[in-house]
Amino acid sequence: KQVEIWSKETEIQPDGAAARVGGAWRVIASKFERRDAALALRGRLRAAGYPAQVIDEKNGVFRVEVPGLAGDAEARAVMANLRPMPGVTIPSVEPPGERR
Protein backbone atom coordinates (compact mmCIF):
# COMPACT_ATOMS: atom_id res chain seq x y z
CA LYS A 1 0.00 0.00 0.00
CA GLN A 2 2.84 2.42 0.84
CA VAL A 3 4.49 1.75 -2.53
CA GLU A 4 1.20 2.65 -4.26
CA ILE A 5 1.13 5.98 -2.39
CA TRP A 6 4.74 6.74 -3.31
CA SER A 7 4.08 5.77 -6.93
CA LYS A 8 1.24 8.28 -7.18
CA GLU A 9 3.44 10.98 -5.62
CA THR A 10 6.24 10.45 -8.14
CA GLU A 11 4.21 9.67 -11.28
CA ILE A 12 4.18 12.52 -13.79
CA GLN A 13 0.66 13.22 -14.97
CA PRO A 14 0.22 14.38 -18.58
CA ASP A 15 -2.07 17.26 -17.53
CA GLY A 16 -0.23 18.27 -14.37
CA ALA A 17 3.12 19.32 -13.01
CA ALA A 18 5.68 17.42 -11.05
CA ALA A 19 7.62 18.47 -7.98
CA ARG A 20 11.32 18.95 -8.58
CA VAL A 21 14.27 18.57 -6.24
CA GLY A 22 15.06 22.09 -5.14
CA GLY A 23 11.79 23.49 -6.51
CA ALA A 24 10.89 26.49 -4.38
CA TRP A 25 7.37 27.28 -5.57
CA ARG A 26 4.38 25.95 -3.65
CA VAL A 27 0.61 25.86 -3.77
CA ILE A 28 -1.31 26.59 -0.59
CA ALA A 29 -4.41 24.38 -0.83
CA SER A 30 -6.19 25.46 2.36
CA LYS A 31 -5.74 26.64 5.92
CA PHE A 32 -7.48 25.15 8.94
CA GLU A 33 -7.87 25.89 12.62
CA ARG A 34 -8.02 22.15 13.36
CA ARG A 35 -5.02 19.92 12.73
CA ASP A 36 -7.26 16.92 12.06
CA ALA A 37 -8.95 18.73 9.17
CA ALA A 38 -5.56 19.64 7.70
CA LEU A 39 -4.34 16.05 8.01
CA ALA A 40 -7.50 14.77 6.32
CA LEU A 41 -6.95 17.06 3.32
CA ARG A 42 -3.28 16.11 3.19
CA GLY A 43 -4.35 12.46 3.01
CA ARG A 44 -6.77 13.13 0.15
CA LEU A 45 -4.13 15.10 -1.77
CA ARG A 46 -1.51 12.41 -1.29
CA ALA A 47 -3.98 9.74 -2.41
CA ALA A 48 -4.46 11.83 -5.57
CA GLY A 49 -0.70 11.87 -6.15
CA TYR A 50 0.35 15.24 -4.70
CA PRO A 51 3.24 15.39 -2.18
CA ALA A 52 1.16 17.48 0.24
CA GLN A 53 2.30 18.43 3.70
CA VAL A 54 0.84 20.17 6.75
CA ILE A 55 2.64 23.20 8.16
CA ASP A 56 1.87 24.49 11.65
CA GLU A 57 1.93 28.27 11.30
CA LYS A 58 2.27 28.54 15.11
CA ASN A 59 -0.73 30.87 15.38
CA GLY A 60 -3.40 28.22 15.64
CA VAL A 61 -3.53 27.75 11.87
CA PHE A 62 -2.47 24.66 9.93
CA ARG A 63 -1.60 25.18 6.27
CA VAL A 64 -1.87 22.37 3.71
CA GLU A 65 0.54 22.90 0.84
CA VAL A 66 2.07 21.17 -2.15
CA PRO A 67 5.74 22.23 -2.16
CA GLY A 68 8.72 21.66 -4.44
CA LEU A 69 7.33 23.02 -7.69
CA ALA A 70 9.82 24.23 -10.28
CA GLY A 71 8.12 27.46 -11.32
CA ASP A 72 5.05 29.60 -11.71
CA ALA A 73 3.59 27.59 -14.60
CA GLU A 74 3.90 24.31 -12.71
CA ALA A 75 2.41 25.81 -9.56
CA ARG A 76 -0.54 27.27 -11.47
CA ALA A 77 -1.19 23.89 -13.14
CA VAL A 78 -1.27 22.20 -9.73
CA MET A 79 -3.50 24.96 -8.33
CA ALA A 80 -5.99 24.48 -11.17
CA ASN A 81 -6.05 20.72 -10.58
CA LEU A 82 -6.62 21.16 -6.83
CA ARG A 83 -9.57 23.58 -7.11
CA PRO A 84 -12.32 20.97 -7.54
CA MET A 85 -11.03 18.70 -4.76
CA PRO A 86 -13.13 18.50 -1.56
CA GLY A 87 -11.56 20.52 1.26
CA VAL A 88 -9.53 22.82 -1.00
CA THR A 89 -10.57 26.42 -0.42
CA ILE A 90 -9.23 29.26 -2.52
CA PRO A 91 -5.85 27.72 -3.43
CA SER A 92 -3.00 30.13 -4.08
CA VAL A 93 0.50 30.10 -5.54
CA GLU A 94 3.40 31.11 -3.32
CA PRO A 95 6.66 32.15 -5.04
CA PRO A 96 10.07 31.39 -3.53
CA GLY A 97 10.90 33.41 -0.45
CA GLU A 98 7.35 34.61 0.14
CA ARG A 99 5.38 33.56 3.20
CA ARG A 100 1.77 34.63 3.69
Side-chain angles (χ1 to χ4, degrees), residues 20 23-26 68-76 93:
R20 304 277 189 260
W25 289 73
R26 70 189 72 239
L69 301 165
D72 184 57
E74 290 83 359
R76 292 195 183 282
V93 170

Side-chain angles (χ1 to χ4, degrees), residues 19-42:
R20 304 277 189 260
V21 173
W25 289 73
R26 70 189 72 239
V27 172
I28 310 304
S30 291
K31 293 185 179 186
F32 299 93
E33 292 180 356
R34 292 183 30 244
R35 186 172 188 266
D36 290 344
L39 292 172
L41 177 58
R42 181 192 70 180

Side-chain angles (χ1 to χ4, degrees), residues 8-25 49-51 66-71 73-75 77-78 81:
K8 287 181 181 178
E9 287 180 2
T10 58
E11 183 178 333
I12 297 173
Q13 302 294 325
D15 63 342
R20 304 277 189 260
V21 173
W25 289 73
Y50 297 98
V66 177
L69 301 165
E74 290 83 359
V78 168
N81 289 337

